[in-house]
């Protein structure tokens, strides 16, 4: 790999379950074409987890357990915890923890940029380091987390446009297919995702749900204050749903 390539990124992580080699192959092909150095991060397999123990140690909110134990068809799709969803969240958390450790040890610093991608990420055909840098230059300098793509569930993200090609995160945004993050972002993400009530992308974007279900507070904003997050629109990645069924949800995308 040419040393002049991807100097803007401190480190790249790709989350991949050990029993999904075909997804890793899909990603490796793209990384190779992009000449992007990457670390494969072995994902936490939710099916091996002791959920009551995770609740005992405070990683999962005990109040979330009744909804976790509901039959799959009664769960809120993409929001309620599933075994796959818990494994996915823990995989991201372990990476955030490592980012904090790398910065604490001096391997990286507060201005270092890390890229985290899931193994069903499809980079845009024109994706390159130059394109990524050009798009990130438009993002306000207070950023802690920037999604390279995602879903606008409530169809209101255009109301939060802050610059050309950049929108603020708000409660209707979902997906963790690919994002850049820094030390402050990794710390903030760890803080807001523990204890876990819902799937990780709900925690990261909808501040009103971080303490479970509660009535809205007076003057509460819909946009996300912590982490200070943005998303790129139009996106430069997409989730490759057609090729791979989801490991996180219990039923396929509607």
């Amino acid at each position: 790999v040419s040393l002049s390539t991807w100097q803007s990124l401190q480190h790249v992580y790709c989350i991949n379950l050990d029993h999904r080699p075909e997804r890793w192959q899909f990603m490796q092909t793209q990384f190779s074409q992009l000449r992007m150095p990457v670390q494969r991060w072995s994902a936490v397999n939710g099916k091996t987890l002791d959920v009551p123990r995770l609740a005992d140690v405070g990683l999962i909110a005990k109040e979330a357990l009744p909804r976790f134990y509901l039959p799959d068809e009664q769960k809120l799709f993409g929001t309620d915890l599933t075994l796959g969803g818990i494994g996915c969240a823990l995989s991201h958390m372990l990476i955030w923890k490592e980012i904090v450790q790398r910065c604490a040890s001096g391997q990286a610093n507060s201005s270092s940029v890390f890229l985290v991608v899931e193994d069903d990420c499809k980079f845009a055909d024109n994706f390159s380091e130059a394109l990524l840098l050009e798009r990130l230059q438009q993002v306000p300098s207070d950023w802690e987390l920037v999604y390279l793509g995602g879903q606008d569930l409530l169809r209101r993200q255009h109301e939060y446009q802050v610059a050309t090609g950049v929108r603020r995160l708000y409660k209707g945004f979902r997906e963790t297919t690919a994002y850049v993050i820094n030390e402050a972002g990794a710390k903030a993400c760890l803080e807001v995702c523990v204890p876990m009530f819902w799937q990780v992308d709900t925690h990261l974007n909808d501040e009103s749900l971080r303490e479970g279900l509660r009535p809205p507070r007076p003057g509460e904003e819909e946009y996300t204050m912590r982490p200070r997050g943005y998303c790129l629109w139009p996106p430069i990645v997409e989730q490759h749903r057609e090729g791979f069924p989801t490991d996180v949800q219990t039923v396929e995308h509607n």
Side-chain angles (χ1 to χ4, degrees), residues 193-205:
C193 288
V194 180
M196 216 184 300
F197 284 89
W198 317 101
Q199 290 190 22
V200 65
D201 51 354
T202 298
H203 270 272
L204 289 176
N205 303 303

Side-chain angles (χ1 to χ4, degrees), residues 72 74-82 85 151 153 173-175 197-203 205 209 246 248-254:
D72 291 342
Q74 289 180 32
K75 290 190 179 190
L76 280 170
F77 173 79
T79 300
D80 276 322
L81 291 175
T82 60
Q151 295 189 80
L153 294 190
F173 183 85
R174 293 292 183 275
E175 213 173 283
F197 284 89
W198 317 101
Q199 290 190 22
V200 65
D201 51 354
T202 298
H203 270 272
N205 303 303
L209 288 175
T246 171
V248 169
Q249 314 306 346
T250 50
V251 288
E252 201 42 71
H253 303 272
N254 295 334

Side-chain angles (χ1 to χ4, degrees), residues 7-26:
Q7 288 290 292
S8 56
L9 296 176
Q10 177 71 31
H11 202 74
V12 182
Y13 299 94
C14 179
I15 299 171
N16 172 243
L17 283 160
D18 291 348
H19 63 274
R20 290 279 182 261
E22 74 290 352
R23 291 188 179 213
W24 176 234
Q25 184 60 57
F26 169 73

Side-chain angles (χ1 to χ4, degrees), residues 6-7 14 16 29 38 40 53 64 74 82 95 103 106-107 122 125 132 143 158 187-188 191 194-195 215 246-247:
W6 299 103
Q7 288 290 292
C14 179
N16 172 243
T29 303
V38 61
R40 178 187 170 274
R53 165 108 182 100
Q74 289 180 32
T82 60
I95 289 176
C103 294
Q107 283 178 277
K122 175 80 179 73
D125 291 341
L132 179 62
W143 74 268
H158 58 277
K187 287 178 175 175
E191 235 170 75
V194 180
T246 171
D247 282 316

Side-chain angles (χ1 to χ4, degrees), residues 21-236:
E22 74 290 352
R23 291 188 179 213
W24 176 234
Q25 184 60 57
F26 169 73
M27 295 309 301
Q28 273 188 308
T29 303
Q30 295 185 83
F31 290 130
S32 156
Q33 286 166 348
L34 292 165
R35 301 180 66 187
M36 183 191 283
V38 61
Q39 176 186 348
R40 178 187 170 274
W41 188 271
S42 180
V44 175
N45 184 347
K47 297 193 170 100
T48 65
L49 294 172
D50 179 346
V51 172
R53 165 108 182 100
L54 291 176
D56 283 342
V57 299
L59 271 172
I60 294 176
K62 290 194 170 164
E63 302 92 318
L65 291 179
R67 292 203 62 83
F68 168 73
Y69 288 116
L70 281 175
D72 291 342
E73 61 277 6
Q74 289 180 32
K75 290 190 179 190
L76 280 170
F77 173 79
T79 300
D80 276 322
L81 291 175
T82 60
L83 284 171
I86 296 168
C88 175
L90 292 175
S91 303
H92 284 275
M93 285 181 199
L94 288 167
I95 289 176
W96 302 335
K97 187 175 166 215
E98 180 173 286
I99 288 171
V100 172
Q101 287 168 339
R102 277 176 179 256
C103 294
S105 72
Q107 283 178 277
N109 59 49
S110 58
S111 59
S112 299
V113 178
F114 297 84
L115 173 63
V116 181
V117 298
E118 294 179 345
D119 62 6
D120 54 358
C121 171
K122 175 80 179 73
F123 292 102
D125 291 341
N126 62 340
F127 190 88
S128 66
E129 185 171 23
L131 175 71
L132 179 62
L133 287 174
E134 183 189 318
R135 295 296 299 274
L136 290 179
Q137 271 165 4
Q138 307 290 333
V139 178
S141 60
D142 65 355
W143 74 268
E144 297 174 338
L145 172 72
V146 183
Y147 291 102
L148 307 189
Q151 295 189 80
D152 179 8
L153 294 190
L154 302 179
R155 302 276 180 267
R156 290 210 293 276
Q157 196 123 29
H158 58 277
E159 296 172 22
Y160 300 102
Q161 183 103 2
V162 291
T164 307
V166 184
R167 296 171 173 185
R168 275 197 78 159
L169 292 186
Y170 85 116
K171 65 192 286 181
F173 183 85
R174 293 292 183 275
E175 213 173 283
T176 47
T177 302
Y179 57 87
V180 293
I181 189 167
N182 57 25
E183 180 188 25
K187 287 178 175 175
C189 288
L190 282 167
E191 235 170 75
V192 304
C193 288
V194 180
M196 216 184 300
F197 284 89
W198 317 101
Q199 290 190 22
V200 65
D201 51 354
T202 298
H203 270 272
L204 289 176
N205 303 303
D206 192 339
E207 295 189 327
S208 69
L209 288 175
R210 288 177 184 166
E211 301 146 48
L213 287 170
R214 62 161 176 79
R217 297 195 174 116
E220 190 164 58
E221 296 289 357
E222 288 203 328
Y223 56 77
T224 314
M225 294 295 295
R226 185 162 174 79
R228 190 53 63 100
Y230 300 91
C231 73
L232 301 184
W233 184 265
I236 53 176

